[in-house]
Amino acid sequence: MSYRLGVDVGGTFTDLLLINEENGQTFTAKVPSTPHDSSEGVLNGIARICEESGVDPTQIHRVMHGTTVATNAVLTGKGAKVGLVTTKGYEHTLQVARSFCPGGLGGWVSYVKNPLLAPLELTIGASERMDAKGKVVSDLDEAALKADLETLKAKGEVEALTICFINAYVNDEHEKRAKVIAQEVFGDMPISLSSEVVPEMQEYERTETTVVNSYVRPEVARYVNNLQAALKDRMGENVQLSILRSDGGLASGRASAESPVNLLMSGPAGGVTGAIYFCSRAGYDDILTFDMGGTSTDVALIQGSKAKVRRETIVGDVRVRAPSVDVRTVGAGGGSIAFVPELTKALRVGPESAGAVPGPAAYMKGGTEPTVCDANVVLGYLPSDVQLGGAMAIDREAAVAAVQKVADAMGIDLMEAAEGIIKIANEAMFGALRLVSVEQGYDPRDFALVGFGGAGPLHANALGILTDAWPVIVPPGPGVLCAYGDATTEVQDEAARTYLTLAQETTKEALMADLEELRSKASESLIADGLAPESLEVTYQADLRYTGQAFEISVDFTRDDIEANGLAVLTDYFDQEHEKLFTFKLGDGHEILMIRAVVKAKSGDIAERKLGEDTLTLADCKVQDTRFFYDGAWHDGAIYDRRKLHPAIAVPGPAIVSEMDSTTVVLPGYQANIDHVGNLLINPVK
């Protein structure tokens, strides 16, 4: 038997999914995350899932992992001390940035710039210069550079080095030579070159991206290498570790350690990938997703079973040129703390979270503050006799005591306070969903709404009412869907270059010749990791704009598309998208700004989920009677076991559908059905 394991580390729980690659049988587990060292939670989870499934760890040959190590390093400011080597005269590139102060017209008055990730005292300028076409204007002064590097090393502060020369994206000769000299001075210190990390125009973005890569590189490399060693110790030498990239693809452990800037949105990308996996198989290609965990909620829009990918990644106030799934995050999770400010007496929820430690009051781990989770317990949406993660009991009395604080502070009834907490959390998530739909020209009513994460199914029906997006879909294993995404996605890499060519001044033959070079470059890392060249698939992308614009739109295409229709494939699609976004199109003057090749290797599908026996009735699936509070009144309902449900059964609300990793609430006036894939579909009763 051969198994693969998907692992997703969240703020509160670490989710695991073990898949038998031969028959598709799956096992799931949830364990508390360990914020001080997330690898501990991963290893605890592996021990738990192997014990519960009876699977020998040595039978697990592939581990796919979504991680927040790089993200947390940026958010907490605990990355490496970065030294920066740039072209003389450009030492202040990061300081000047885009000369933009966030805020209104007087934003500059109160704006306090965060410390640079590569401080000026650790920045040196090298005597060298390339022109915009890549021709050498001034040779690299190697002797002066070596002397400056030795002075920099003598300060004893640099932990990672970045080299970013002007116009190096066109000609990387000087950067490569500078790296050789730096290695002579600094030894095996990690060194990042801008021409390798992001060979694209625009000096500030290229410098910032490469510096961030250096900033998180030691921490990520340490984490990946330690985890790889621990996995080999438990599973044998043949185990392969892959890390989820921000764009939803997988990278090998080696590639992740070298280019960690591509992992900044690793965590949220897994849920989007998992949602696409299940919804596309059920015929739902246009979906809105919301992944509600313990700390935050991530939302995204998927059209044609393909997630929108941004060419930049934003974490805190750091903006880097790295592809990422277009996910928006709001501080509303199951652990979000509700409070009543003394001044306004108006109920607030989040963004502060109880997290994994001490957690919501109901978890009995030391938390006492009222959270969204506690409000769900008080309202009966999360029955106190339903265990979390199959092993964690919850305490209703503790939840009541916590929420009572809010009720007392506002002078209202306990149930009114609990329902108020839930409504505010729902509105926060609805606002995020509007960001990815309405504010980008999409009508939510044209999409299905997919709720997942440990807390998502509790709120899915209510958000369906707010968005009017039906059906509301709760995929199989919603609490571990990110782990599903990790385990079912594809290994991929990409290569890009600045093109700056008018479409009418190039030919399809010239364009394809340049793209073929990028395909070869993008394939190198995958082949180096042992993948067969014939197993790789390639797609191409081009960023277009009208001449003189500062805004571009990405176009996806294949070699066959270009062969059949020429460059009109690019220009026609660009015109259509531009008209949809800005209500007009010009029809000519198309400038190809960037081109890239994306190479993927399929990880293989898993067998379909087995549903309940079709001889079972709704009564057979019933666990027990229950009641919950909704819209100011108590409603009698029942709890059903999701494992027993099948397509011939309809579950009328009010009801609760329970499973190992999550709990789904079906509100009065709505009904849930199971489709052939195993998705739970909630619709209004007509």
Side-chain angles (χ1 to χ4, degrees), residues 110 136 188 213 252 255 290 312 414 491 503 660 670:
S110 58
V136 177
D188 59 357
N213 192 74
S252 68
F290 80 98
E312 63 179 12
L414 171 69
V491 178
M660 187 286 294
Y670 298 85

Side-chain angles (χ1 to χ4, degrees), residues 630-650:
Y630 171 69
D631 201 19
W634 286 98
H635 299 267
D636 292 323
I639 300 175
Y640 298 96
D641 186 347
R642 181 168 180 175
R643 294 173 300 175
K644 296 180 179 180
L645 297 177
H646 56 81
I649 292 178

